Amino acid sequence: MDKMSLAALLFPNVTDAPEELEVRFPQRNAPEGAVITRMAPSPTGFVHLGNLVQGLVSERMAHQSGGVLFLRVEDTDAKREVAGAVEVLIETLKHYGIHFDEGATIDGDSGNYGPYRQRQRKDIYHVYAKKLVEEGFAYPCFCTEEELAQMRQVQEARKVNFGYYGEYAIWRDRSLEEIQAALEKDMPWVLRFRSTGSIANKFKYQDLVKGELTITENDIDQVLLKSDGIPTYHFAHAVDDHLMRTTHVVRGDEWLPSLPFHIQLFKALGFKLPKYVHIGPLMKMDGASKRKLSKRKDPELALTYYKAEGFPVSAVYEYIMTLLNSNYEDWRKANPTEDSNSFKFSPKKLNPAGSLFDYAKLCDVSKNEIARMSALQVYEEVLAYAKEFDSQFANALEADPAYAQAILAIGRGGKKPRKDIATWKEVKPYMGFFYDAFFAQLDPWPERFDKATIAAALEQFKRVYDENDDAVLWFEKVKAVTESMGFTSNMKAYKADPTAWPGSVADVSTFIRIAVTGKVNSPDLYTVMQLLGKERVLARLNCTIAALQR
């Protein structure tokens, strides 16, 4: 077989040489040890938590080492592409703090190693495809879908491995004349890799997460170029990672079965193999067993879920860092105010088997994160969330920013700040009672007290309430109402013998709290009433008393 003639026959319009591309895309001027890595998602319209996990690993490895993180859109599979998905992808990753040094952007490309969309790099792939044909590492295959299906049936009947290999690779050793005749008939063809591997051979490979792996050689003649001339992921990623000078590839461990072929392909192309970081899947408990997070079953897999629920970006980031490096939590406890970028991330501390996603823990992390924020910061983030998801609440917040911030400042700061809020979605239920438009009695009255008793307590408190009282005097009046009802204000004595009194000062406080806030649990009641003001407090007391007396 005249390989040069075959290459010229298959790629008559390819005039560039690999050497020219090496000059066009030179080695990067990066410090020693710098990690050059990428995110390379497909524009399918679904941006998931796994994308963010891989993105954070890539971002930390690149930026901690003084390297480069770039975004490459792997859009070679036109059938799966969703219109507008690239824009959604870029905006979502930006929302979660994944900042790229170069790559695809909404407005085009930014950087010297583009194009960063694979469908725009077709001519580049053909240069290397021609090189592989010239060197005997690739050949055209004119098999039809029917022939491939029939081949699979034969393999199934023989109980052998599926694939295009060995005796089943019927176009591997065809003559130049046979290939030329097929081309003259305009028969569709794909370009296949000529594998020299054998499943009888194994070799060792060192993965940065999995450690030492024993790998079986690839013996399949995989497709490099599809019939439309567009490359498969395997071929495109090898060429792109080489020319973009990628040093590390972070990807899910579902790609491990493809690793033998990728190693083989890089070697055939004469490229240095990047270091691979194969991340285990995100898992969740399903009863007593673990399973992978599922797009179909688990809404929390989609990144849009966290935005809609109102988890702060910083909280999602903090939680994922606890999944990625087990020592992050201890570091955060020792450095509560330190920028997370100061943490020394290590891919070697990733769990090889994958991380267990725990929604309750995410909420705890988020509560801690929000508790550390200032009232102004919380206000700004809640307002931004409400503008997108609850315009009525957004209007109320914007009408009086100082009032809203004063509400959000309750219990904030100090050694033990309140931790009532895990998501921005919870803020309206938390503070909505401060606005008459959202006020309603949400919690029922304590069952062991009749309406007349509750109304009597509220009536007595209403008569003595004075908005000018300080917190001490205010509570003394609550205790006085308690004693006048025959209840006790001595909580220690009450706990020792609850049957000695019909109720306690805690019960009277609950009556007032429900009347004023509509809830059993709310921020400090004295502060709440100060912010509401005398007019609204009395209006709510009067309205409640009237309802109880009906």
Side-chain angles (χ1 to χ4, degrees):
M1 169 71 77
D2 183 346
K3 301 183 186 72
M4 299 300 288
S5 296
L6 176 59
L9 191 63
L10 296 175
F11 301 99
N13 299 319
V14 175
T15 57
D16 288 343
E19 293 75 18
E20 294 174 274
L21 292 173
E22 296 293 331
V23 173
R24 180 177 160 191
F25 302 106
Q27 292 292 338
R28 292 175 181 270
N29 183 21
E32 185 177 353
V35 171
I36 313 299
T37 189
R38 42 57 165 192
M39 278 195 71
S42 301
T44 60
F46 182 67
V47 190
H48 56 81
L49 197 59
N51 295 134
L52 184 56
V53 168
Q54 292 179 29
L56 282 177
V57 172
S58 301
E59 188 276 332
R60 286 291 75 214
M61 290 179 66
H63 292 155
Q64 278 191 171
S65 65
V68 175
L69 174 66
F70 63 90
L71 175 65
R72 184 173 74 224
V73 179
E74 300 198 336
D75 55 358
T76 58
D77 190 346
K79 293 179 182 178
R80 296 180 63 220
E81 185 169 349
V82 175
V86 173
E87 290 75 14
V88 170
L89 173 75
I90 292 172
E91 285 299 325
T92 302
L93 293 174
K94 181 181 177 182
H95 177 74
Y96 283 98
I98 305 297
H99 298 291
F100 298 95
D101 303 298
E102 63 183 65
T105 72
I106 290 176
D107 301 320
D109 284 348
S110 174
N112 298 323
Y113 290 81
Y116 294 93
R117 290 167 171 82
Q118 288 185 330
R119 291 187 73 85
Q120 297 175 12
R121 298 172 63 84
K122 182 177 178 180
D123 292 345
I124 293 174
Y125 304 129
H126 283 199
V127 172
Y128 287 97
K130 184 177 182 180
K131 165 186 163 70
L132 289 175
V133 174
E134 289 174 344
E135 296 177 356
F137 289 112
Y139 63 92
C141 170
F142 296 85
C143 280
T144 64
E145 290 296 326
E146 291 75 18
E147 287 176 312
L148 293 173
Q150 186 177 8
M151 180 188 302
R152 186 179 178 90
Q153 289 176 357
V154 171
Q155 291 171 337
E156 188 173 14
R158 294 178 178 177
K159 296 182 179 180
V160 297
N161 291 338
F162 295 130
Y164 197 90
Y165 63 93
E167 65 179 286
Y168 306 104
I170 58 177
W171 278 91
R172 178 190 283 197
D173 297 316
R174 296 295 182 97
S175 67
L176 184 61
E177 290 73 23
E178 288 177 290
I179 293 171
Q180 191 165 9
L183 289 171
E184 288 173 355
K185 293 178 183 177
D186 287 328
M187 291 175 62
W189 58 278
V190 300
L191 188 71
R192 288 187 180 273
F193 182 73
R194 186 188 297 273
S195 175
T196 57
S198 169
I199 57 173
N201 299 331
K202 299 183 184 299
F203 62 96
K204 301 291 185 181
Y205 174 79
Q206 192 72 27
D207 184 83
L208 290 188
V209 176
K210 306 292 185 181
E212 185 175 85
L213 301 173
T214 300
I215 295 177
T216 301
E217 284 185 350
N218 167 65
D219 68 339
I220 305 294
D221 287 5
Q222 304 277 9
V223 174
L224 300 176
L225 294 180
K226 293 174 278 190
S227 58
D228 59 0
I230 297 297
T232 58
Y233 163 81
H234 307 288
F235 185 43
H237 107 277
V239 172
D240 291 344
D241 282 338
H242 171 69
L243 291 180
M244 294 177 181
R245 309 303 173 179
T246 306
T247 64
H248 293 68
V249 172
V250 179
R251 62 187 186 183
D253 64 5
E254 68 271 16
W255 287 105
L256 278 172
S258 300
L259 184 59
F261 173 47
H262 294 166
I263 293 173
Q264 203 175 43
L265 182 56
F266 270 84
K267 184 177 180 180
L269 287 163
F271 298 161
K272 181 181 179 181
L273 188 72
K275 293 180 179 178
Y276 285 102
V277 182
H278 286 101
I279 300 177
L282 288 172
M283 314 287 282
K284 74 176 294 185
M285 295 304 298
D286 192 350
S289 60
K290 295 179 184 178
R291 64 167 175 80
K292 292 182 183 180
L293 280 175
S294 161
K295 178 180 177 180
R296 182 173 58 85
K297 296 180 180 179
D298 306 307
E300 63 268 32
L301 183 60
L303 278 185
T304 51
Y305 171 84
Y306 299 92
K307 186 177 183 182
E309 286 296 299
F311 282 98
V313 168
S314 58
V316 176
Y317 183 101
E318 286 283 312
Y319 176 64
I320 290 178
M321 288 301 292
T322 67
L323 294 180
L324 297 182
N325 274 192
S326 57
N327 58 328
Y328 184 80
E329 284 186 82
D330 290 337
W331 177 86
R332 173 53 75 199
K333 288 176 183 176
N335 304 274
T337 60
E338 194 79 23
D339 189 313
S340 57
N341 289 337
S342 302
F343 173 73
K344 298 300 180 184
F345 173 83
S346 172
K348 294 180 180 179
K349 291 187 179 294
L350 289 164
N351 187 336
S355 301
L356 184 64
F357 179 82
D358 185 339
Y359 186 84
K361 185 174 179 180
L362 168 62
C363 290
D364 286 341
V365 169
S366 191
K367 285 179 180 180
N368 289 329
E369 190 68 14
I370 292 174
R372 284 195 290 265
M373 296 180 181
S374 67
L376 175 60
Q377 188 178 357
V378 173
Y379 171 78
E380 291 174 343
E381 296 229 19
V382 172
L383 180 59
Y385 172 83
K387 282 183 175 180
E388 185 170 356
F389 296 101
D390 189 340
S391 58
Q392 188 181 15
F393 188 44
N395 292 337
L397 294 171
E398 276 194 304
D400 191 343
Y403 178 61
Q405 289 175 51
I407 296 168
L408 292 168
I410 300 174
R412 191 162 296 280
K415 292 182 178 180
K416 291 186 177 181
R418 291 184 66 94
K419 297 179 181 179
D420 303 270
I421 305 167
T423 69
W424 304 137
K425 191 176 184 178
E426 296 175 357
V427 173
K428 184 178 179 181
Y430 167 75
M431 63 180 283
F433 66 83
F434 279 99
Y435 300 89
D436 291 339
F438 309 129
F439 173 70
Q441 184 175 330
L442 303 177
D443 290 334
W445 300 108
E447 291 183 358
R448 63 196 187 91
F449 299 101
D450 59 41
K451 292 182 178 181
T453 300
I454 298 169
L458 295 177
E459 183 65 41
Q460 288 195 51
F461 176 75
K462 184 187 75 171
R463 292 180 191 146
V464 298
Y465 171 65
D466 186 340
E467 65 177 343
N468 296 311
D469 291 341
D470 61 18
V472 175
L473 182 54
W474 174 87
F475 191 55
E476 287 299 324
K477 290 183 176 180
V478 174
K479 289 196 288 185
V481 170
T482 299
E483 298 292 343
S484 70
M485 297 286 296
F487 293 9
T488 180
S489 58
N490 186 333
M491 288 304 299
K492 186 176 181 180
Y494 182 76
K495 288 178 181 178
D497 185 10
T499 61
W501 295 273
S504 71
V505 68
D507 297 313
V508 173
S509 297
T510 297
F511 301 158
I512 300 169
R513 189 180 298 275
I514 293 176
V516 173
T517 71
K519 303 191 298 181
V520 170
N521 294 311
S522 68
D524 177 68
L525 186 55
Y526 171 78
T527 307
V528 166
M529 294 170 74
Q530 290 294 107
L531 285 172
L532 283 171
K534 182 177 181 179
E535 184 177 334
R536 276 196 288 179
V537 168
L538 290 177
R540 291 183 183 184
L541 289 171
N542 285 328
C543 184
T544 303
I545 293 167
L548 288 167
Q549 291 176 339
R550 288 195 192 105

